[in-house]
Amino acid sequence: MSILEVKDLTVTFPGGVQAVRGVSYEVERGEVLGIVGESGSGKSVTSLAIMGLLQQNSVVSGSVKLHGQELIGMKEDELVKVRGKSISMIFQDPLSAFTPVYTIGDQIAEAVRIHQKVNKDKAAKRAVELLDLVGIPHPDVRAKAFPHEFSGGMRQRAMIAMAIANDPDLLICDEPTTALDVTIQAQVLEVLKTAQQETGAGIVMITHDLGVIAGMADRVLVMYAGKPVEQGSVDDIYYRPRMPYTMGLLASIPRIDGEEGALVPIEGNPPSPASLPPGCPFAPRCPMKVDMCDEQEPPLVPSGAGRHVACIRAQEIEHKGLTGADVFPVPVIPPSDVVRVPRAERPTVLELDSMIRHYPLMKGAVFKRRVGTVHAVDGISFDIAEGETLALVGESGCGKTTTLQQIMQLAPPQGGRVVVLGKDSSTMDAATRKALRKDLQIVFQDPMAALDPRMPVGDIIAEPLRAHGRKDVEARVAELLELVGLAPEYAERYPQQFSGGQRQRIGIARALALEPKLIVLDEPVSALDVSIQAGVINLLEELKNTLGLSYLFVAHDLAVVRHLADRVAVMYLGKIAEIGTVQSVYDHPAHPYTQALLSAIPLPDPELERNRKRILLEGDLPSPADPPSGCRFRTRCPKFARLSADEQRRCVDEEPSIARLASAVDHGAACHYAEEVEVITASDDQEEK
Amino acid sequence: MRSKVVLRRLFRNNQARYGFVALVALVLVAYVGPYIGKYDWTEKDFMAFLSAPSADHWWGTTSIGQDLYAVTLRGMQKSILIGLMVALISTGLAAIVGAFAGYFGGWVDRVLMWGVELLLVLPSFLLIAIISPRLKSGNWLWFVVLLAAFSWMITSRVVRSMTMSLREREYVQAALYMGIPRWKIIFRHIVPNMSSLLIIDATLNVSSAIIGEAALSFFGFGIQPPDVSLGTLIATGSDNATGYPWLFVFPAGLLVLLVLSVNLIGDGLRDALDPGSNS
Ligand code: SF4
Ligand code: SF4
């Protein structure tokens, strides 16, 4: 019997905007239902409505039955009993779920005591047990810690512990790992799986990450514009999608095991819930659209065993066996002329030589005194040749942002050298620095924050032009807007009138204004929805090839990196762990950290995900104020644990430097015991190729 | 481009249009009105003390027989100038000092904030009282400067703390990386993003300057008799407001109209500058 039965759930916000327009699904015991959708698709609102957590003034209709008991219209005090006991929810941001003034242990114990009749000591003991279950080291000590003393990953685990405290029948996870780094995400997903086995609960997993769903879910529900558009078993959805949106979504994601070449973008933007198109909500973006699609919204109809599709051409898609790549036009990206010249003969546009950046660690409110040093960047070296993309990857806190800022400031570094286009930043004068700013530009991560909200787009793009005294500004602005795929008439609008993807294009146009040679890309697509991402990645690639640009690409998403970069440098705690061409690093990673990183990334491929063995890392990143001696990775290194005591001593005493690996031309790793391992298994169809 | 867009939005804004029309009308009344009236503001009609509004004295007369219509308009000329100038100077000063202190930090911040604190703890009223008699009497421009100089400090502290958060925004960084000088960044990216606050502050300053001037005049500083301002008129009129309401109603009514028109312009300007509003 199913635990949760949702029927025709609709949510209307004040002002008549329908955020959810008829969602139905069932979850059985021990089953994981994945709900995917982009922002604004109504996926989170649906689960908030089920939990009864929406604001008072929104209207919920339809039926939500938990064990046959209707939840909609239930009184708040009864609902409270259900919430936390039978259903628990895990949010994206665990900090907001804990009260900052009580210890984690107390809060979990309280959750236990609300729904079970146990005394205080028992509840406290249970809290420690639960923390142990979710893999928090020294749970008895950590239970006495306050929420802010936990790292993000630990907090998310503690939240899972609290969620399963009362053996719920259903867990709703809303983007549970989105805010976490990949290695931490892998840990947390593993904990979720354990938690599910322990409790036998059903799980509703809401996320935009198709990789996470592939590894976790049994069934998948795809949402678009407040409605499910496709529903079925995970294999059916991933291998045999029958709705163009799902097909496009699957084809548009870059994969770490993927080939190079253009991604499949879905044109346009999701419709706003306030003004939906008359027929199929996907029609304005659908390449398979026929006139009939505009007449009436296609209902979600059964199509084969246990699956439902909302598309009038689903039959045809099934018969012809169409995939996203067949249906969506794949842009042709012209090849670059620059790369025909061998790398060694091309000029170097950026060179970092043992660059160091330390911050003083201060303490005290009135009398500040220095209590230590944050080794944010501790001697890194790399170079970028003309027409090349180097990706700097690593998890938060690894020093990649500091590196980027140091380069952009064009100021003398604390140690080492930064050479931009042959000019050393420590010896240049103010005039050279200003001239150099023309050739060095940046694209920021958050396209909203990077554009002045009070400036029309035309002024934003014109700003660098005027700053460097260009004539004919208006014509150039129009030209730039066209270059990034926007209409020149948009120049008079303000940034907030654009969607995320368009804003990022504006940011790119601004960076291109002065015809730079090197562009620093700071996580340029990580704030964008999947279907939008592909278009921006393609644009970046095209611009690079046609304009002969070089990119320094800072990212944490290794799949995007594989797609866009030529070379990659993996950073860990202020040092480069591994560097080399994308092919060698991804296919034969030699540093244990790179191996763990690559193996932690979920693949949007259920079959591969099921058979994959993860290299899980223990614990969190050590503090950069107190890095471990010798090899910085040793506290978490899975290889270190397997070494003999003698071999271990070398890791503790001697800091490894980057050594070139014998098997490849351009590949080096900073590990005493580097050894190439294959962690990504190529998918079948690739092997056929 | 920005000024063009903002101006167009401003003229499309109804509030701003009404505000402008009202303000222009008030200025016209203040400067052209006296030529229409029968009496000069210095004339005294010894036949009519405290007479109610009539065909002869449209707005009545004062206790010494002045024609209230002429006197009020004369006072309004001064008050419009004082109000607008004080508001512009003090808000401008607050924006500049606050933004520079907040953006540059370090010793610039310390020096500027030290100045702000000094001005805050000094009893401004006393200082104006001491300084103003020494300034050449009749030169009321000095008076404007003094009033403005003592009314910007609180706002500048607010501006400073807003700047400190704006400074961290990526678009400010982006501008820096483009090679734009810092003072330009302040005027181009920081100040416009605080425009709502500054406009509210300026409109409030208009009325408080007019009233504040009256308070000072009452104690014998600022506008001195026989010269008048709206403030002094209201101050004297309010004593007899029940017995001789016209003495109070006309100057006070004009002040309300003046403040209202400035507020309308301010609201319109705020909407025009704020891309989030579509009025
Ligand atoms: S119904 Fe039409 S527009 Fe909608 S997805 Fe199917 S083919 Fe495309
Ligand atoms: S040097 Fe030792 S601790 Fe460091 S990565 Fe290699 S094996 Fe692990």
Side-chain angles (χ1 to χ4, degrees):
Chain A
M1 201 194 94
S2 52
I3 309 172
L4 182 76
E5 225 178 304
V6 180
K7 260 217 184 78
D8 285 328
L9 185 77
T10 63
V11 179
T12 313
F13 285 136
V17 174
Q18 275 208 321
V20 178
R21 307 178 299 128
V23 173
S24 308
Y25 61 77
E26 289 173 19
V27 187
E28 278 168 37
R29 262 203 98 67
E31 186 189 41
V32 181
L33 173 75
I35 301 185
V36 271
E38 298 175 274
S39 43
S41 62
K43 58 185 195 305
S44 298
V45 180
T46 311
S47 55
L48 289 177
I50 292 168
M51 292 286 284
L53 291 174
L54 283 174
Q55 284 165 342
Q56 292 294 319
N57 47 6
S58 34
V59 183
V60 182
S61 69
S63 141
V64 176
K65 284 198 177 124
L66 184 76
H67 293 304
Q69 188 189 12
E70 180 65 54
L71 295 186
I72 303 265
M74 197 188 244
K75 282 211 195 69
E76 180 67 24
D77 48 340
E78 283 173 51
L79 207 57
V80 169
K81 282 187 202 134
V82 177
R83 215 188 280 153
K85 169 99 186 82
S86 305
I87 315 182
S88 303
M89 194 154 175
I90 296 169
F91 298 95
Q92 172 175 355
D93 176 16
L95 196 53
S96 56
F98 286 107
T99 319
V101 291
Y102 294 111
T103 64
I104 297 264
D106 282 352
Q107 296 190 49
I108 297 177
E110 194 185 299
V112 173
R113 274 163 60 84
I114 290 175
H115 297 285
Q116 296 173 28
K117 281 205 186 64
V118 290
N119 64 24
K120 260 199 169 141
D121 291 342
K122 265 227 176 98
K125 250 180 85 189
R126 174 94 180 113
V128 174
E129 277 168 33
L130 285 164
L131 287 175
D132 192 29
L133 181 73
V134 295
I136 287 185
H138 313 299
D140 41 338
V141 183
R142 302 301 281 171
K144 299 197 184 76
F146 289 95
H148 69 266
E149 293 170 310
F150 273 39
S151 69
M154 297 247 282
R155 250 183 253 135
Q156 197 59 284
R157 284 164 190 242
M159 177 124 172
I160 295 173
M162 189 147 94
I164 60 171
N166 295 300
D167 270 336
D169 303 317
L170 185 74
L171 270 175
I172 298 180
C173 311
D174 190 356
E175 305 266 8
T177 56
T178 306
L180 305 174
D181 281 318
V182 265
T183 59
I184 309 291
Q185 163 172 300
Q187 292 172 357
V188 170
L189 289 177
E190 211 55 37
V191 169
L192 260 181
K193 281 182 196 154
T194 325
Q196 191 205 18
Q197 278 157 14
E198 257 338 272
T199 58
I203 293 187
V204 177
M205 182 90 169
I206 301 158
T207 175
H208 68 280
D209 190 330
L210 288 157
V212 170
I213 295 270
M216 287 285 291
D218 303 308
R219 283 191 305 122
V220 178
L221 180 81
V222 183
M223 284 194 64
Y224 188 77
K227 247 194 148 164
V229 291
E230 187 160 9
Q231 189 179 6
S233 77
V234 68
D235 286 12
D236 277 341
I237 298 282
Y238 278 75
Y239 298 129
R240 293 170 289 280
R242 285 183 197 159
M243 153 87 192
Y245 175 62
T246 320
M247 292 156 70
L249 213 53
L250 285 164
S252 68
I253 27 179
R255 297 173 55 146
I256 44 165
D257 59 347
E259 287 293 301
E260 279 187 53
L263 291 169
V264 180
I266 306 179
E267 299 292 330
N269 293 298
S272 104
S275 57
L276 288 175
C280 173
F282 188 56
R285 303 171 75 189
C286 180
M288 291 187 70
K289 187 196 139 191
V290 287
D291 288 347
M292 246 198 2
C293 300
D294 282 335
E295 276 163 25
Q296 171 198 29
E297 184 160 359
L300 191 69
V301 289
S303 144
R307 63 183 305 190
H308 300 261
V309 185
C311 170
I312 52 172
R313 297 183 69 180
Q315 296 272 319
E316 190 186 335
I317 294 169
E318 185 187 352
H319 285 310
K320 292 193 187 153
L322 298 176
T323 64
D326 303 327
V327 173
F328 286 84
V330 185
V332 184
I333 293 178
S336 165
D337 292 333
V338 189
V339 289
R340 283 202 212 116
V341 185
R343 182 170 193 272
E345 289 164 31
R346 276 181 268 159
T348 305
V349 288
L350 176 71
E351 190 186 340
L352 255 61
D353 185 16
S354 349
M355 189 192 84
I356 292 175
R357 173 89 212 185
H358 292 173
Y359 294 106
L361 191 64
M362 299 297 214
K363 216 174 186 170
V366 186
F367 298 105
K368 290 220 190 311
R369 65 206 155 82
R370 189 175 173 140
V371 291
T373 306
V374 179
H375 300 251
V377 177
D378 221 356
I380 64 167
S381 313
F382 59 76
D383 58 349
I384 301 179
E386 191 189 347
E388 185 177 74
T389 304
L390 175 84
L392 207 55
V393 298
E395 300 176 282
S396 40
C398 72
K400 52 188 198 299
T401 308
T402 310
T403 309
L404 173 154
Q405 281 170 350
Q406 183 69 53
I407 295 169
M408 286 311 295
Q409 275 160 7
L410 291 176
Q414 285 168 341
R417 285 189 322 144
V418 177
V419 184
V420 183
L421 295 162
K423 300 203 177 64
D424 192 327
S425 71
S426 53
T427 53
M428 66 177 77
D429 53 22
T432 326
R433 189 166 294 134
K434 169 140 192 188
L436 208 54
R437 293 224 180 269
K438 259 196 293 209
D439 293 322
L440 175 66
Q441 293 289 327
I442 184 167
V443 175
F444 288 96
Q445 170 178 18
D446 180 354
M448 195 63 219
L451 308 177
D452 189 337
R454 294 263 160 138
M455 257 198 186
V457 164
D459 272 350
I460 289 176
I461 300 176
E463 193 170 18
L465 293 168
R466 295 198 182 115
H468 288 270
R470 289 292 172 87
K471 302 265 156 17
D472 220 11
V473 170
E474 255 170 64
R476 177 81 180 135
V477 169
E479 191 185 323
L480 283 163
L481 279 170
E482 238 162 319
L483 190 65
V484 297
L486 295 172
E489 299 87 76
Y490 288 172
E492 286 193 1
R493 299 200 189 166
Y494 286 98
Q496 64 180 38
Q497 285 162 286
F498 295 88
S499 68
Q502 287 175 322
R503 275 183 223 143
Q504 197 54 292
R505 286 169 190 264
I506 295 165
I508 295 171
R510 173 173 67 182
L512 287 174
L514 294 165
E515 299 168 39
K517 300 207 171 60
L518 173 64
I519 299 186
V520 175
L521 305 168
D522 183 8
E523 308 257 13
V525 293
S526 65
L528 306 178
D529 269 324
V530 206
S531 73
I532 310 289
Q533 241 185 34
V536 175
I537 294 175
N538 283 343
L539 173 71
L540 285 170
E541 195 149 5
E542 185 183 334
L543 291 170
K544 180 186 116 177
N545 290 356
T546 49
L547 304 177
L549 302 168
S550 313
Y551 290 147
L552 171 63
F553 180 38
V554 176
H556 70 275
D557 185 338
L558 283 116
V560 175
V561 167
R562 162 129 218 181
H563 205 83
L564 201 60
D566 304 309
R567 298 177 73 231
V568 56
V570 182
M571 277 187 85
Y572 184 79
L573 217 58
K575 290 232 168 226
I576 289 182
E578 185 159 5
I579 185 166
T581 61
V582 164
Q583 275 81 8
S584 13
V585 173
Y586 277 65
D587 295 342
H588 311 282
H591 194 284
Y593 177 60
T594 320
Q595 289 158 7
L597 208 55
L598 284 170
S599 91
I601 294 169
L603 285 165
D605 193 324
E607 193 74 39
L608 286 180
E609 273 298 300
R610 278 195 283 267
N611 302 326
R612 236 168 123 198
K613 282 208 184 51
R614 292 238 138 83
I615 307 173
L616 282 184
L617 290 185
E618 307 264 311
D620 291 311
L621 198 72
S623 154
D626 182 23
S629 69
C631 174
R632 296 196 167 188
F633 187 52
R634 74 177 158 85
T635 49
R636 298 170 78 198
C637 179
K639 181 152 200 168
F640 181 73
R642 291 198 303 270
L643 295 173
S644 71
D646 265 355
E647 289 170 316
Q648 281 188 347
R649 194 164 310 129
R650 192 164 167 221
C651 299
V652 177
D653 295 338
E654 192 186 325
E655 192 167 335
S657 54
I658 295 182
R660 228 198 73 197
L661 296 165
S663 57
V665 189
D666 181 8
H667 187 188
C671 169
H672 297 307
Y673 306 102
E675 146 185 57
E676 293 175 10
V677 177
E678 228 173 278
V679 288
I680 314 167
T681 29
S683 57
D684 292 341
D685 52 81
Q686 253 176 358
E687 272 165 6
E688 279 162 23
K689 279 177 199 162
Chain B
M1 177 100 44
R2 167 151 66 192
S3 40
K4 217 170 73 194
V5 174
V6 168
L7 269 183
R8 207 175 48 221
R9 288 170 65 102
L10 190 61
F11 283 122
R12 252 192 275 140
N13 187 297
N14 275 336
Q15 279 177 319
R17 268 204 306 246
Y18 297 145
F20 267 124
V21 170
L23 186 67
V24 169
L26 284 172
V27 170
L28 279 179
V29 167
Y31 284 93
V32 182
Y35 297 108
I36 302 170
K38 289 184 192 163
Y39 296 88
D40 191 61
W41 72 278
T42 45
E43 263 174 76
K44 293 192 181 84
D45 184 350
F46 295 105
M47 306 308 289
F49 295 124
L50 285 173
S51 70
S54 63
D56 193 29
H57 294 286
W58 296 338
W59 292 1
T61 58
T62 67
S63 53
I64 50 168
Q66 286 168 304
D67 182 59
L68 193 64
Y69 173 79
V71 173
T72 307
L73 295 191
R74 163 78 187 179
M76 194 156 88
Q77 292 174 6
K78 281 272 145 57
S79 287
I80 289 178
L81 279 175
I82 291 177
L84 294 183
M85 283 174 71
V86 169
L88 284 182
I89 296 175
S90 94
T91 303
L93 209 59
I96 290 170
V97 171
F100 272 78
Y103 185 79
F104 285 103
W107 64 267
V108 177
D109 183 31
R110 272 197 295 273
V111 168
L112 288 175
M113 280 305 114
W114 183 76
V116 164
E117 251 130 62
L118 189 74
L119 280 177
L120 270 177
V121 295
L122 283 181
S124 55
F125 199 77
L126 208 69
L127 267 183
I128 295 183
I130 296 169
I131 299 173
S132 60
R134 283 158 210 268
L135 303 171
K136 279 231 162 53
S137 55
N139 197 349
W140 54 272
L141 271 178
W142 275 111
F143 186 66
V144 165
V145 171
L146 276 179
L147 260 184
F150 285 100
S151 57
W152 56 274
M153 291 84 74
I154 307 245
T155 312
S156 90
R157 302 215 62 157
V158 180
V159 167
R160 169 175 172 263
S161 60
M162 279 179 85
T163 306
M164 282 160 61
S165 77
L166 285 172
R167 183 177 62 180
E168 306 300 325
R169 299 281 164 89
E170 279 179 352
Y171 56 80
V172 176
Q173 293 241 300
L176 203 61
Y177 291 157
M178 264 174 241
I180 292 169
R182 284 164 195 264
W183 62 269
K184 257 195 197 159
I185 293 181
I186 290 181
F187 286 109
R188 200 180 288 167
H189 295 288
I190 303 237
V191 174
N193 277 291
M194 297 186 295
S195 55
S196 301
L197 168 86
L198 295 176
I199 289 168
I200 293 173
D201 181 62
T203 47
L204 287 178
N205 274 341
V206 172
S207 43
S208 68
I210 293 175
I211 304 289
E213 173 266 325
L216 284 172
S217 308
F218 186 74
F219 288 102
F221 320 111
I223 308 288
Q224 292 303 319
D227 208 346
V228 289
S229 70
L230 273 192
T232 52
L233 286 172
I234 293 170
T236 49
S238 61
D239 296 341
N240 302 327
T242 41
Y244 314 100
W246 59 91
L247 287 183
F248 177 71
V249 168
F250 289 107
L254 281 179
L255 176 65
V256 169
L257 284 181
L258 187 63
V259 170
L260 220 60
S261 68
V262 172
N263 275 332
L264 280 175
I265 297 175
D267 279 354
L269 195 61
R270 215 170 67 210
D271 283 349
L273 281 167
D274 180 5
S277 86
N278 36 25
S279 54

